[in-house]
Amino acid sequence: MKIVLTCALALITSVLSGCIKPPWHDGIDEYFERSNRILDVEQAVMGWSVDEALRYPPRQSLRLPVPESSIGMLDFLRLSECELQRLVGDRNSALGKVIADSQLVGYSLRFIVLAEACLAGEMVPEDLVGPLETLVAQRRSAIPHYVWNGLFAGPEFERMFSLSAREDPSRENQLPSSIETALAQLAESSRNPELNWVGGRDGRDGRDGRDGRDGRDGRVDVEQSLSVLASTKYAGALLLMQSQLAQNLTDHHAVITRAWQERPVCRRLNNKFWVKAVDRDALMFVFHRYYIEEVQRKSANLLRQSDRFVALINALRASVAVSAEGFDSYWQDNWIGDSSAPSRLRDAVAAQTRFWQGVLEACELSPK
C-alpha cells in the first residue's frame, strides 16, 4: 500500500489547519494504515483540522442584559446612615470596577439585602425611596442574568471549551471527578443563589450585615468550582477529538468499502470463500488489536464522557433558568443535535462495525 503524504511538512506548517495532528491518535492512525494495507488501498494521511464551528462563542454573544441604572453621586452621599453606601463605594473603587461577572452575582444580592434593610429602617431620604425600590426590583429580576453571565459568559467556561488543548480524554473511562463535582456544585449554587453566592454553606443567609469578603461565604465555593473548570481545556479536547475521529472514520469507511467491493480479500472458490493464512492472521489482528482495542474502546470512552458532560451542563442550564441564543446554537450544533460531534461519531463507528461484520462473515471468520 502506498500512503500519500499530504502532511509531510506538518511540523513546519502546523499552523495550517489541515495538517494539525494531535498526539493522542497513534493507535487509531495505526488502524487506518494497517486496514488500508490489508485491502491494498491508497489513502492520504488523515488530517486533523480544527473546524471553526466548534469554537466556543465570543463573549458578546453569550452575555445577557443586566440593569445599567445606578445610584447618583449626590444620592450616594445622602445614604450615609445606610450600610448600602459602603457596599456601593466598594463597587465603585478601582478594584470594584474590575470584579469578575461571577462576583457581580454576590454584589447584586448583597445590594438587594442592604437596600431592603435601609428601606425597612427608614434610613433612606423620602425622595430616594421610589428610585431605590426600582433599583432593587430591577436587580432582583436580573439575578438569573447575572448568574448566567458569571458562568457561561465567563473566562472559566471559555477556557474549559478551548480547542487548543492536547489532552487525551479517550484514555479515561469516566468524566474526571473534579469536573463533575465542580459542575454539580455550580448547579446547586445557581438553583439558590441567595444562599450559595451570599450566605454560603455555614447557615448564614447574607442578612447579618457582613459583606461576604471574609472567605467563608458561598461565593468561595462558586469561585473554587470555576477555578477547577478554568484549570483544564477538557471540554474543548473532548469535542475536538469526537469531531475529528468522526470525520476520519467516515472518510476511511468510504475508502475501505469501495476497495472491498472492488477486490475483496476473500475470494470465491467452489462456492466457498478462502483466505490466505497471512491474510487471515493480518485481518484478525487488525480487527482485534486496532479496531476493537483502539477505535471502539476510545470511541466508547469519548461518548460515555460526552453523555455525562452534556447531562451536567443541561442540569446547570436548567438551574439558571435563562440562556443566551449564542450558547443555545453552539450547544445544539456541536453537542446534542443530529449533526453534533457525538452523533456523528456514533454513526461513524456504527458504519465501521457493519463493514467489519460483513468482512468477517464473508471470510467465515465470525465468532461461532
Side-chain angles (χ1 to χ4, degrees):
M1 178 197 68
K2 297 180 180 179
I3 301 295
V4 181
L5 300 177
T6 60
C7 290
L9 301 178
L11 294 177
I12 301 175
T13 59
S14 61
V15 294
L16 299 177
S17 62
C19 292
I20 297 175
K21 181 179 177 181
W24 24 254
H25 266 285
D26 291 342
I28 292 176
D29 286 343
E30 190 75 9
Y31 165 70
F32 293 144
E33 293 177 10
R34 285 178 178 267
S35 55
N36 287 347
R37 190 178 305 134
I38 290 175
L39 296 172
D40 193 25
V41 298
E42 187 174 292
Q43 183 181 9
V45 171
M46 297 296 182
W48 302 99
S49 62
V50 176
D51 185 350
E52 291 300 312
L54 300 176
R55 293 195 183 280
Y56 197 62
R59 196 168 301 180
Q60 59 267 26
S61 70
L62 295 172
R63 291 182 59 85
L64 293 176
V66 294
E68 296 182 359
S69 55
S70 60
I71 298 176
M73 178 57 69
L74 293 179
D75 294 336
F76 167 73
L77 294 175
R78 295 165 65 194
L79 293 173
S80 58
E81 297 183 9
C82 185
E83 190 180 354
L84 179 63
Q85 186 188 65
R86 183 164 67 90
L87 180 71
V88 174
D90 288 345
R91 175 69 177 92
N92 286 275
S93 67
L95 291 178
K97 290 180 179 180
V98 295
I99 64 173
D101 283 344
S102 58
Q103 294 174 326
L104 283 178
V105 180
Y107 169 79
S108 297
L109 289 167
R110 191 72 181 142
F111 182 98
I112 294 170
V113 169
L114 295 180
E116 289 179 335
C118 292
L119 291 167
E122 299 183 349
M123 293 178 283
V124 180
E126 185 176 350
D127 60 318
L128 290 184
V129 170
L132 187 56
E133 289 177 338
T134 299
L135 273 176
V136 169
Q138 289 175 341
R139 288 189 180 275
R140 177 176 284 112
S141 65
I143 289 301
H145 286 207
Y146 282 113
V147 173
W148 173 270
N149 291 344
L151 300 180
F152 290 88
E156 297 85 2
F157 270 57
E158 182 180 19
R159 179 173 174 79
M160 178 177 66
F161 283 98
S162 171
L163 299 179
S164 63
R166 286 298 177 264
E167 301 173 50
D168 185 2
S170 70
R171 295 179 180 273
E172 305 296 332
N173 290 321
Q174 303 292 335
L175 189 71
S177 59
S178 59
I179 294 177
E180 179 155 1
T181 299
L183 290 174
Q185 287 178 344
L186 290 175
E188 180 184 351
S189 298
S190 301
R191 277 190 292 271
N192 191 354
E194 291 83 358
L195 175 64
N196 291 301
W197 247 282
V198 177
R201 302 178 184 278
D202 58 1
R204 293 186 287 107
D205 64 359
R207 301 177 184 273
D208 59 354
R210 306 184 71 93
D211 65 4
R213 294 181 297 173
D214 59 354
R216 291 182 293 168
D217 69 353
R219 188 179 62 195
V220 173
D221 290 337
V222 171
E223 297 301 323
Q224 286 177 344
S225 296
L226 287 173
S227 69
V228 169
L229 302 185
S231 68
T232 178
K233 299 177 181 179
Y234 168 84
L238 181 60
L239 179 65
L240 184 61
M241 190 168 186
Q242 288 181 98
S243 178
Q244 293 180 337
L245 183 54
Q247 185 61 56
N248 283 186
L249 287 174
T250 299
D251 294 343
H252 179 255
H253 177 260
V255 171
I256 60 177
T257 298
R258 182 169 59 252
W260 176 257
Q261 292 171 344
E262 294 175 353
R263 188 174 60 256
V265 173
C266 305
R267 297 178 176 82
R268 188 176 297 277
L269 178 64
N270 297 328
N271 296 322
K272 290 185 178 181
F273 286 95
W274 61 271
V275 187
K276 295 179 181 178
V278 63
D279 290 337
R280 174 189 290 268
D281 293 341
L283 196 67
M284 295 304 291
F285 178 76
V286 171
F287 174 69
H288 286 290
R289 171 62 183 85
Y290 291 102
Y291 182 65
I292 298 296
E293 294 187 20
E294 294 290 339
V295 176
Q296 282 200 333
R297 181 181 60 82
K298 289 187 174 181
S299 297
N301 285 348
L302 291 171
L303 292 170
R304 187 183 304 109
Q305 293 177 72
S306 181
D307 288 345
R308 182 56 183 155
F309 181 75
V310 165
L312 288 166
I313 292 293
N314 283 341
L316 180 56
R317 294 173 70 201
S319 71
V320 179
V322 294
S323 184
E325 184 177 347
F327 181 85
D328 293 342
S329 298
Y330 163 81
W331 193 243
Q332 178 69 27
D333 293 345
N334 292 302
W335 288 92
I336 62 175
D338 292 339
S339 299
S340 65
S343 180
R344 289 187 287 111
L345 179 55
R346 285 189 175 89
D347 291 345
V349 173
Q352 289 269 342
T353 299
R354 288 192 297 270
F355 169 82
W356 278 104
Q357 288 174 338
V359 169
L360 296 182
E361 289 176 1
C363 296
E364 297 184 347
L365 294 172
S366 298
K368 302 299 183 181

